[in-house]
Amino acid sequence: MHKLKYIIIILVGGLLAACQKEDFLDRYPLDAVTEPVFFKTPNDLKIYMNQYYNRSNFPVMEKGKGDVGTDIYITESAINPRLEGSRSINSAPGLNYTNIRSVNYFFANYKKCEADFKEYQQYVGEAFFFRAMFYFNLLKSFGDVQLVETVLTTSSPELYGTRSPRNVVADKIISDLDSAALYLSTGKSNGHDRINKWIALLYQSRVALYEGTWEKYHAGTKFGVAAADPAKYFNKAVEAATTVMNSGLYDIYSTGKPNQDYNDLFGLRDYSPNKEVMFWTKMNLSLGIHAHSKLYRLETPEGFGLTKQLADSYLSLDGKPVSKSPLFKGHDNIILETENRDPRFVQTIFTPGSPWYIEANGAVRNWQEAYAKLYSNSTYSSSTGYVRRKDYNPTVAYHHLNFEESPTIQYRYAEVLLNYIEAKAELGQITQDDIDKTIKKLRDRVGMPNLELANIETDPNWEFPALAPIINEIRRERKIELALEEFRWDDIARWAAADELIVGKRPKGAKVSQFTNKPALPTDENGFLDPFKNALPTGYGFKLDRDYLNPLPQHELTLNNKLVQNPGW
């Protein structure tokens, strides 16, 4: 924030020119924009807002992203330093207000537009949405942050202000999203051009659920909130999600093929008609908008792998956990392990029968070929033996070393349902009807039995044995439905769950005896891959009194003595 001491940005901030050519929604020449001639027309406002439709805010979901470095997805080449507890204050991320200042600049100038407000209210709504997004990212990273709603200069006293409490920041984010929902368009449209009201409400349900659970589960710790009110946020999450659910615009994608619909969803080429996908990234090579080598890199594991902790979470087809179901066939090999299990298991990881390549002539080569090659070289090495299939499309014509047009889902309706049902459970107000209109929809897609509130099977391996059975099952559903979609760390953090899931634990993999080639990785006493056994002999060293939040950069503390460092740092 204090970079403002060294440079005053008078025009549109240089940020417009900073939108680089490779940003996937950068469609307009944004140079030579000056305040006296800008902000006069709705198109000026549209051009200004286009800068936020970029790869940073809407990332391509590829191999190296999507929960990597958590308890469910790892790479053998690196251990997450946060989970390891090895970070120092020098590893602090930047406390960057550049985007917030840029949006505030828009708010300071948009009323110069000479058109009727209805002609440009969409872009005002977008400004509220993106400011909420930028503050939410700061909130998750640092907790309390300075709340700034105006354009600051080097002489602004706010530069030397204190941090606002996290719940005050959360309230401002939620307020901005209320405004966004008021002004944004109400139509579903094609889902890739501009955000709409329903995306703002989805995001609001996400923020409210995050803050509510943070306040509830961090209560009494260094990360707790004074005068905490989790119920306020749970009710807001329910309200926002309910509004989306009642819109009638969205539903769960299904073609009646339970053994492929979940996997197919993430490999489609056009989401415009899709009722589940609320916003997505459309690629266009002619405009320089592409997904790099997303599918090409997903062809082989290259050291990545999903963990046994995720694999064991999938229920059996009878709706019972593997610890209780007579249908479970054990861990001896991936074929047996995935048999009679929730179909999302085999639609999330590769098994020998999964399509690997579909050639131009229609010939299908199955993953059996790659399975036989596992651990033959570094390309075919997996940290766990559970190789990611989700987000992959086997059609070879779509694969490219550098320039693919593979789209990416950014927001989908399934999250709305999961946010709703978790908030209802946290309020203690959950009913079977709530389950039927949320979890049942997700399970119906894959042909799984519904969750019966009055008849939940006790699982001795629940991750949170001290919590209610319904909370455990909702968290299980979220874990497997949203796997590899970049939710897992946020969930662990807001649940204050590192003591159950991280501390003293290591990620495990599949039974090593099933592989033709011997992995150059250690195993545990039961023959399961244990990739970090040598590096972490006592498991992850995550520091419960420190590592839920990032440290503030030291130079910020030096410049502003009113800032207080985060706990433990």
Side-chain angles (χ1 to χ4, degrees):
M1 186 172 177
H2 287 84
K3 290 178 180 177
L4 290 172
K5 285 175 63 68
Y6 308 113
I7 180 169
I8 302 176
I9 306 174
I10 298 177
L11 305 180
V12 178
L15 297 174
L16 296 178
C19 295
Q20 300 181 12
K21 186 175 180 180
E22 66 267 23
D23 283 350
F24 73 93
L25 285 178
D26 184 0
R27 301 173 180 171
Y28 299 88
L30 301 179
D31 57 347
V33 175
T34 57
E35 184 179 335
V37 298
F38 205 62
F39 297 109
K40 298 296 186 182
T41 70
N43 194 56
D44 288 344
L45 273 58
K46 179 180 181 180
I47 290 173
Y48 194 98
M49 295 314 300
N50 281 345
Q51 66 180 299
Y52 306 117
Y53 287 87
N54 59 46
R55 199 180 297 270
S56 295
N57 299 330
F58 300 107
V60 174
M61 201 53 64
E62 51 194 341
K63 179 184 291 181
K65 296 181 180 179
D67 298 324
V68 68
T70 66
D71 63 324
I72 66 172
Y73 186 44
I74 63 171
T75 174
E76 64 187 53
S77 64
I79 297 173
N80 185 323
R82 183 181 215 148
L83 304 193
E84 189 181 14
S86 62
R87 296 182 302 164
S88 72
I89 195 170
N90 294 325
S91 60
L95 188 58
N96 192 332
Y97 277 72
T98 300
N99 282 327
I100 291 171
R101 187 179 193 279
S102 175
V103 177
N104 286 341
Y105 186 87
F106 175 92
F107 281 120
N109 287 281
Y110 81 85
K111 291 183 180 179
K112 296 174 182 177
C113 185
E114 298 168 353
D116 185 85
F117 181 71
K118 290 182 179 180
E119 294 184 42
Y120 62 84
Q121 70 177 51
Q122 166 71 22
Y123 313 118
V124 177
E126 290 178 18
F128 278 112
F129 175 84
F130 284 113
R131 186 167 68 181
M133 173 189 283
F134 301 142
Y135 265 116
F136 188 44
N137 289 337
L138 288 178
L139 180 77
K140 291 187 295 180
S141 185
F142 300 105
D144 301 350
V145 294
Q146 290 170 277
L147 195 56
V148 179
E149 300 178 59
T150 58
V151 180
L152 304 186
T153 68
T154 55
S155 60
S156 297
E158 294 91 339
L159 285 174
Y160 304 96
T162 60
R163 300 163 70 185
S164 298
R166 62 172 299 125
N167 54 342
V168 173
V169 178
D171 288 346
K172 177 57 182 173
I173 294 169
I174 289 170
S175 174
D176 272 0
L177 291 168
D178 279 334
S179 297
L182 178 65
Y183 296 131
L184 289 170
S185 63
T186 59
K188 183 178 183 300
S189 71
N190 57 26
H192 65 76
D193 187 14
R194 312 203 76 84
I195 58 172
N196 61 25
K197 168 182 179 175
W198 314 108
I199 295 165
L201 290 171
L202 176 154
Y203 205 80
Q204 188 179 70
S205 73
R206 180 189 295 185
V207 172
L209 181 62
Y210 188 98
E211 184 60 22
T213 46
W214 183 284
E215 293 191 12
K216 177 175 180 176
Y217 292 104
H218 285 280
T221 75
K222 294 180 179 181
F223 304 106
V225 176
D229 189 1
K232 177 179 77 171
Y233 297 104
F234 294 142
N235 280 313
K236 189 63 176 178
V238 169
E239 175 190 310
T242 299
T243 304
V244 180
M245 292 160 67
N246 289 343
S247 73
L249 294 173
Y250 302 100
D251 204 351
I252 295 302
Y253 169 78
S254 176
T255 67
K257 299 176 181 177
N259 293 318
Q260 66 182 71
D261 279 341
Y262 177 77
N263 178 263
D264 285 353
L265 173 65
F266 301 95
L268 297 175
R269 305 295 288 179
D270 182 7
Y271 293 105
S272 297
N274 193 291
K275 295 205 71 175
E276 180 169 354
V277 176
M278 298 175 67
F279 195 70
W280 59 290
T281 303
K282 180 181 174 62
M283 308 299 174
N284 188 323
L285 295 184
S286 65
L287 296 176
I289 305 166
H290 58 82
H292 296 300
S293 54
K294 173 183 173 179
L295 298 179
Y296 178 83
R297 291 202 60 218
L298 284 170
E299 293 174 2
T300 54
E302 295 179 326
F304 288 85
L306 285 81
T307 66
K308 185 174 182 293
Q309 286 88 330
L310 175 64
D312 285 349
S313 297
Y314 292 91
L315 300 172
S316 294
L317 283 177
D318 55 9
K320 297 180 179 181
V322 294
S323 60
K324 291 289 191 71
S325 176
L327 299 179
F328 179 54
K329 295 194 173 183
H331 295 95
D332 284 349
N333 61 63
I334 286 176
I335 296 175
L336 290 175
E337 188 177 353
T338 56
E339 195 169 328
N340 298 329
R341 301 286 293 281
D342 184 328
R344 285 173 289 190
F345 191 5
V346 296
Q347 295 180 64
T348 301
I349 71 162
F350 274 113
T351 59
S354 305
W356 184 28
Y357 291 120
I358 300 178
E359 307 287 359
N361 62 3
V364 178
R365 295 165 56 192
N366 286 338
W367 178 251
Q368 177 66 50
E369 285 185 55
Y371 183 69
K373 295 179 182 179
L374 283 180
Y375 305 106
S376 60
N377 57 52
S378 60
T379 300
Y380 287 92
S381 180
S382 168
S383 52
T384 64
Y386 298 112
V387 179
R388 176 178 183 163
R389 183 185 174 198
K390 188 172 177 177
D391 294 308
Y392 182 71
N393 185 316
T395 304
V396 173
Y398 301 151
H399 300 203
H400 196 280
L401 180 59
N402 292 308
F403 305 108
E404 291 182 359
E405 288 190 295
S406 304
T408 287
I409 298 172
Q410 301 296 343
Y411 300 111
R412 65 184 181 105
Y413 184 61
E415 185 196 346
V416 175
L417 302 183
L418 289 166
N419 291 348
Y420 172 89
I421 197 65
E422 184 179 345
K424 289 285 283 189
E426 291 290 358
L427 286 166
Q429 300 173 356
I430 192 170
T431 66
Q432 186 61 48
D433 181 63
D434 292 324
I435 295 172
D436 291 348
K437 61 187 180 184
T438 55
I439 289 177
K440 185 176 186 298
K441 283 180 170 288
L442 301 175
R443 292 192 177 187
D444 281 351
R445 169 172 33 207
V446 293
M448 283 292 291
N450 192 19
L451 176 64
E452 299 294 336
L453 184 59
N455 190 32
I456 297 176
E457 185 80 33
T458 301
D459 185 355
N461 296 321
W462 271 332
E463 292 179 331
F464 310 98
L467 300 182
I470 187 60
I471 295 290
N472 273 279
E473 288 305 320
I474 287 171
R475 291 185 179 187
R476 182 204 301 270
E477 197 71 26
R478 184 178 182 90
K479 179 181 182 181
I480 62 177
E481 175 67 29
L482 299 181
L484 305 177
E485 295 181 49
E486 211 69 88
F487 287 98
R488 188 59 176 172
W489 167 250
D490 287 350
D491 289 346
I492 292 172
R494 66 187 177 88
W495 295 333
D499 51 345
E500 291 99 343
L501 303 177
I502 305 299
V503 177
K505 295 179 171 60
R506 292 191 300 270
K508 300 292 182 70
K511 267 285 181 72
V512 72
S513 57
Q514 66 185 290
F515 302 115
T516 302
N517 306 294
K518 182 175 175 56
L521 294 168
T523 58
D524 69 7
E525 65 277 10
N526 296 312
F528 293 100
L529 282 167
D530 192 352
F532 299 155
K533 180 179 181 179
N534 297 333
L536 301 173
T538 59
Y540 285 125
F542 183 97
K543 293 178 173 57
L544 294 171
D545 60 352
R546 188 192 76 170
D547 287 329
Y548 282 115
L549 292 176
N550 289 317
L552 270 66
Q554 184 59 49
H555 69 272
E556 294 287 347
L557 301 174
T558 302
L559 289 167
N560 181 1
N561 60 16
K562 291 183 181 179
L563 296 180
V564 178
Q565 183 58 277
N566 273 330
W569 295 102

